[in-house]
Amino acid sequence: MTTKHLNRIYPLSREKVTIHDAFWAPRQEINRTKTIPYQYRQCKRTGRIDAFHLDWTPGKKKPHIFWDSDAAKWIEAASYSLTHHPDSELEVLVDDVIDLIVSAQQDDGYLNIYYTAVEPEKRWTDLEGGHELYCAGHMIEGAVAYYEVTGKRKLLDAVCRYADYIASVFGTEEGKMKGYPGHEEIELALIKLYRVTQNEKYLELSRYFVDERGTSPHYFDMERQARNHEGHLKPVVGHLEGEDVNKYHQSHLPVREQEHAEGHSVRAMYLYSAMADLAYEIGDENLFNTCKRLWSHLVHKRMYITGGIGSSEKNEGFTSDYDLPNETSYAETCAAIGLVFWNHRMVQYECDSKYTDLLERALYNAVLAGVSLDGEKFFYANPLESKGDKHRSEWFDVACCPPNLSRLLASLEEYIYSESDHDLIVHLYVQSRLQTELAGKKVTIEQTSNYPWEPQVDFAIQLQEKARFGLKLRIPNWTSRYRLEVNGEETDEGVTLEHGYVRIERDWQDGDTVSLTMDMPVFRNYAHPAVKDAVGKVALQRGPLIYCLEQADHEASVFAVELPESSDFQVVFEEDVLNGIAAIEAKAYARTSASEELYQTDKSFKETAIKAIPYFAWDNREDGAMVVWMKEY
């Protein structure tokens, strides 16, 4: 449920869209039948569910400060899955978990495992690192999702009580705390809660948390002093001082004064998502311009070619401009998911294909690499190079990424289309059926494609009666030429190109068809020369997919491969490899050694064949090295 503001567009809800796509539908099915049940078992096994009994005693394993969020994201993923796949057993299981969660709520509305069972006397004393407001945000998102899908209010009513309590604690009024979360999340969650309840208190609380962040006197500086510089975040940022530590959680300046993407990358994405949401809801052009400024800096200075962000494990985030190492890249899965969230919000405010292009890049590469093809192993960090020692894990102590992946995959329907009063906008090319109303008329759109392997997308329009509206189709930044046909014929009538979307306005009739065919060549990407790990190297791309070399396909070491500038590429679809992929083949050369001497005066090569596979599919076979950036000569 989303409100319309200032002629913005708004995403079409999940229940209006059904995916039956050869690429995404199987992944959603694996997510539904394997990953979501698997994650519940992991949450149960590790104590994340039973911790809501609040029966921790000294000597037992302590609940983590963020366990609430793992359970909440699982509820959110399960809720989205129920949209198109009613499952009474899953719904009963979610109800049982919700009953347990609600039983843990305190009389004043407070709801948090750690600060109720372990350190109740320290409630709200470590906003910088305690994750209380972060966990509250995820619980709100889970409650909103379950209510939207099932109509059940138990968890929604509980989080409303919690949000009301939080609003009584924080704010600018006398007697209230002027704090804000160290890990952003509640800001965007409160806007979701506002949209479903229309209670403006929640919108105003979100605005408070955004506007108060980074103001002077600095709240976290005062909080640290009150805690004698102890706290949950000390092991991570204890060595930093002043602005450097505050950059970690984007509180070094008031948000409207920020110029650069700084600090912990997941925190940044959740903050920027909330800023875009808030700008949308209240029509704040200044706040949206801040988002645009931060977006431009991130995209042009601090983002991996896969859409991964955050180059350092030390702070799980950004370092300096162009510092994008390959083997040690962090590129947390949650950060790429956050990048999808942010760009989805940006394009609703300003329908520009650059936001959807980036959403697509992150989704098909940095996000999708985060989960194995069988749906039960996960990457936390996503390197762009490996000696063969990097592998997905079954679970993590800090398990934010697995349920985050699940909730995104289960809600993919809402990222495909948007509407305005006069236009239907297609952002992503995913074979699907859309049923909606536009210009007062019922409209059904059947989108057919074999994307991302093939470049043609077809649309069949079904109408009960003739209707006039605009159909906008994104022209991705990876294509230089496209062909547009209406009812089998090329046409320019009523066709315009607006910010990367081709718009066709006409009187549509039942049975009309539109076909978009794009050039989808293999092309070479080169990094800015300041990216030292990519100097003299090339990365291959076809459509939205970034490719890599995996040792499983090569006799020569992938680190020794050098791709001639003159090499041509052949695209070969291999149905039996990695669940079916389009591989890229080419002739190349591999460095060899004339002797066993460590250092030699001559260099020699041998001709070799290379096969590049989509980056998202790496590490699903035997152990072996991997490179995205290969040498070129």
Side-chain angles (χ1 to χ4, degrees):
M1 178 179 180
T2 307
T3 52
K4 302 180 191 179
H5 284 275
L6 302 174
N7 296 317
R8 308 293 178 225
I9 65 175
Y10 57 100
L12 284 162
S13 56
R14 295 177 302 279
E15 62 269 16
K16 293 183 178 181
V17 182
T18 305
I19 292 174
H20 44 89
D21 178 270
F23 186 87
W24 287 110
R27 286 166 170 79
Q28 286 193 311
E29 183 69 4
I30 289 171
N31 186 52
R32 181 179 74 86
T33 60
K34 296 186 68 175
T35 309
I36 291 174
Y38 174 82
Q39 290 178 358
Y40 172 80
R41 294 194 299 271
Q42 289 286 7
C43 285
K44 187 74 174 174
R45 178 187 66 81
T46 57
R48 283 163 164 81
I49 302 296
D50 290 336
F52 284 99
H53 286 294
L54 304 180
D55 57 357
W56 177 84
T57 56
K60 287 186 176 181
K61 179 182 178 180
K62 281 186 183 180
H64 282 298
I65 54 176
F66 36 71
W67 269 8
D68 307 62
S69 66
D70 297 334
K73 281 186 280 188
W74 176 81
I75 289 173
E76 190 178 354
S79 301
Y80 296 147
S81 176
L82 290 170
T83 303
H84 292 293
H85 297 278
D87 182 334
S88 58
E89 290 185 10
L90 178 59
E91 190 167 338
V92 167
L93 188 61
V94 176
D95 286 339
D96 289 344
V97 173
I98 287 173
D99 287 344
L100 182 57
I101 290 171
V102 174
S103 74
Q105 188 164 31
Q106 303 301 290
D107 290 342
D108 59 4
Y110 186 78
L111 180 57
N112 182 280
I113 296 169
Y114 183 88
Y115 285 100
T116 300
V118 181
E119 292 188 307
E121 75 283 358
K122 293 187 178 181
R123 184 192 291 190
W124 307 134
T125 61
D126 188 6
L127 296 180
E128 182 182 37
H131 284 65
E132 283 165 283
L133 292 170
Y134 168 82
C135 286
H138 278 302
M139 197 62 69
I140 289 169
E141 288 199 86
V144 168
Y146 198 57
Y147 169 72
E148 287 181 331
V149 174
T150 68
K152 296 179 180 179
R153 295 191 58 97
K154 188 168 188 176
L155 188 56
L156 182 70
D157 289 340
V159 299
C160 285
R161 283 187 61 214
Y162 194 10
D164 291 342
Y165 166 67
I166 293 170
S168 75
V169 173
F170 295 96
T172 57
E173 299 89 346
E174 186 175 350
K176 290 187 177 183
M177 297 175 65
K178 292 183 173 59
Y180 40 85
H183 196 312
E184 303 92 326
E185 154 62 24
I186 193 172
E187 301 91 337
L188 68 89
L190 285 166
I191 294 175
K192 285 189 176 183
L193 190 59
Y194 158 70
R195 287 171 175 167
V196 82
T197 65
Q198 291 299 294
N199 187 335
E200 293 198 1
K201 177 194 296 186
Y202 306 136
L203 180 64
E204 288 306 311
L205 184 57
S206 176
R207 181 176 0 202
Y208 160 75
F209 282 133
V210 169
D211 286 344
E212 188 66 21
R213 187 169 213 87
T215 58
S216 184
H218 197 286
Y219 186 83
F220 291 153
D221 290 344
M222 296 185 294
E223 187 187 67
R224 275 183 230 115
Q225 189 171 7
R227 293 195 316 267
N228 195 27
H229 295 276
E230 296 299 322
H232 289 283
L233 206 58
K234 184 178 179 181
V236 179
V237 298
H239 63 290
L240 301 174
E241 294 181 357
E243 184 178 273
D244 287 336
V245 67
N246 293 329
K247 281 183 178 179
Y248 176 81
H249 31 58
Q250 299 78 44
S251 63
H252 52 295
L253 290 169
V255 296
R256 286 174 174 79
E257 297 176 21
Q258 294 185 24
E259 301 278 345
H260 302 145
E262 300 283 5
H264 188 280
S265 53
V266 181
R267 286 168 161 86
M269 292 304 101
Y270 287 175
L271 172 62
Y272 303 163
S273 293
M275 289 162 61
D277 267 344
L278 190 59
Y280 181 99
E281 288 297 336
I282 65 178
D284 191 331
E285 195 76 21
N286 176 269
L287 188 57
F288 186 72
N289 286 336
T290 300
C291 288
K292 291 173 68 173
R293 184 169 65 244
L294 292 165
W295 187 95
S296 181
H297 174 254
L298 171 65
V299 170
H300 295 118
K301 302 288 180 68
R302 296 189 174 180
M303 185 184 74
Y304 285 98
I305 194 168
T306 57
I309 54 174
S311 54
S312 171
E313 181 179 8
K314 192 171 186 179
N315 70 340
E316 296 186 316
F318 305 108
T319 52
S320 57
D321 291 351
Y322 305 113
D323 180 30
L324 296 166
N326 292 323
E327 187 177 359
T328 59
S329 63
Y330 201 64
E332 185 180 336
T333 300
C334 277
I337 292 168
L339 190 63
V340 169
F341 293 162
W342 181 30
N343 280 275
H344 186 233
R345 288 159 167 83
M346 292 291 281
V347 80
Q348 310 308 321
Y349 190 106
E350 181 179 77
C351 189
D352 191 313
S353 65
K354 66 183 181 182
Y355 303 121
T356 319
D357 287 337
L358 182 50
L359 184 162
E360 182 182 66
R361 178 180 293 271
L363 178 65
Y364 277 91
N365 299 288
V367 171
L368 200 53
V371 61
S372 60
L373 295 178
D374 66 9
E376 294 186 351
K377 293 182 285 295
F378 310 93
F379 274 136
Y380 197 104
N382 290 274
L384 275 73
E385 184 175 298
S386 169
K387 293 186 176 73
D389 56 349
K390 305 263 192 344
H391 306 292
R392 295 177 183 86
S393 299
E394 293 182 351
W395 198 245
F396 308 97
D397 285 341
V398 181
C400 51
C401 295
N404 221 359
L405 271 161
S406 279
R407 67 176 180 148
L408 176 56
L409 290 175
S411 62
L412 185 63
E413 289 86 354
E414 67 188 51
Y415 294 85
I416 302 172
Y417 304 98
S418 291
E419 277 184 355
S420 69
D421 290 337
H422 307 289
D423 290 337
L424 175 65
I425 303 105
V426 183
H427 299 300
L428 297 179
Y429 298 122
V430 177
Q431 183 161 297
S432 54
R433 179 182 179 88
L434 165 67
Q435 294 176 296
T436 188
E437 281 196 9
L438 194 62
K441 309 290 176 61
K442 290 184 178 180
V443 181
T444 299
I445 305 285
E446 289 278 0
Q447 180 184 164
T448 305
S449 75
N450 192 25
Y451 196 87
W453 311 123
E454 296 178 10
Q456 181 170 329
V457 189
D458 298 316
F459 299 88
I461 299 170
Q462 300 172 25
L463 295 165
Q464 290 183 334
E465 56 184 298
K466 185 169 64 174
R468 187 172 188 84
F469 58 88
L471 178 65
K472 298 179 73 170
L473 309 177
R474 178 176 60 97
I475 306 302
N477 62 357
W478 49 257
T479 191
S480 58
R481 291 190 302 174
Y482 64 92
R483 176 185 174 92
L484 186 68
E485 295 181 351
V486 177
N487 295 328
E489 297 183 0
E490 282 193 84
T491 180
D492 292 328
E493 185 177 351
V495 177
T496 55
L497 185 64
E498 302 174 355
H499 303 293
Y501 285 79
V502 63
R503 182 176 186 270
I504 313 161
E505 182 175 356
R506 68 197 305 268
D507 292 319
W508 298 97
Q509 300 185 64
D510 186 49
D512 281 346
T513 62
V514 175
S515 180
L516 174 66
T517 305
M518 300 163 281
D519 277 6
M520 190 183 271
V522 177
F523 61 91
R524 303 172 186 232
N525 285 290
Y526 302 94
H528 188 286
V531 182
K532 63 179 183 179
D533 274 26
V535 171
K537 296 180 180 180
V538 61
L540 301 182
Q541 181 173 348
R542 180 175 183 265
L545 299 176
I546 302 300
Y547 278 71
C548 67
L549 302 185
E550 219 179 1
Q551 196 60 58
D553 299 307
H554 300 89
E555 292 184 6
S557 166
V558 294
F559 296 110
V561 168
E562 298 193 17
L563 182 67
E565 291 182 352
S566 59
S567 285
D568 294 324
F569 302 105
Q570 293 78 44
V571 177
V572 180
F573 189 79
E574 300 192 346
E575 188 173 343
D576 298 326
V577 176
L578 297 166
N579 292 353
I581 60 165
I584 298 172
E585 297 181 350
K587 289 183 178 180
Y589 292 90
R591 286 285 301 273
T592 62
S593 179
S595 72
E596 294 185 359
E597 295 293 323
L598 181 60
Y599 303 108
Q600 303 167 25
T601 57
D602 297 316
K603 62 179 180 178
S604 57
F605 295 89
K606 68 174 181 179
E607 186 174 301
T608 188
I610 63 166
K611 177 190 290 185
I613 66 166
Y615 172 76
F616 73 75
W618 84 279
D619 192 47
N620 279 282
R621 298 178 287 182
E622 63 266 28
D623 293 356
M626 181 276 294
V627 296
V628 170
W629 291 98
M630 68 186 85
K631 301 181 186 74
E632 183 185 64
Y633 78 94

